[in-house]
Amino acid sequence: MSKTILAFLAILASGSILAACSSPSTVTTRDGQTDYAADAPDTDTDDGFVTYEKGGREVKVNKSEVKQIEEVD
């Protein structure tokens, strides 16, 4: 019985750690469109794009078209 409780607590703790690592953000473009990204967008790309995931797909937006990126609390 105690092994089951310990296993449950270990799973709960690992889920909490993973949740703390994500940084939900909004990406607003110059034309006013706002997208919600589950994680912080990758802005350090060599190709000049901001990359983030939306709805299970990778989205790339030209850095010059991004007005702001804000972290959601």
Side-chain angles (χ1 to χ4, degrees):
M1 184 72 154
S2 65
K3 286 184 181 182
T4 306
I5 293 172
L6 288 175
F8 175 73
L9 290 175
I11 292 170
L12 185 64
S14 64
S16 297
I17 290 169
L18 288 175
C21 292
S22 66
S23 301
S25 304
T26 57
V27 178
T28 306
T29 59
R30 297 217 179 271
D31 65 0
Q33 179 181 346
T34 300
D35 281 339
Y36 176 80
D39 291 320
D42 182 15
T43 57
D44 296 328
T45 58
D46 293 330
D47 58 1
F49 287 88
V50 172
T51 306
Y52 58 94
E53 189 173 317
K54 177 184 174 188
R57 294 182 350 172
E58 182 180 83
V59 177
K60 290 178 114 177
V61 179
N62 194 314
K63 285 183 183 179
S64 65
E65 295 298 315
V66 175
K67 183 177 181 180
Q68 69 182 28
I69 299 173
E70 289 185 318
E71 188 174 321
V72 178
D73 292 328

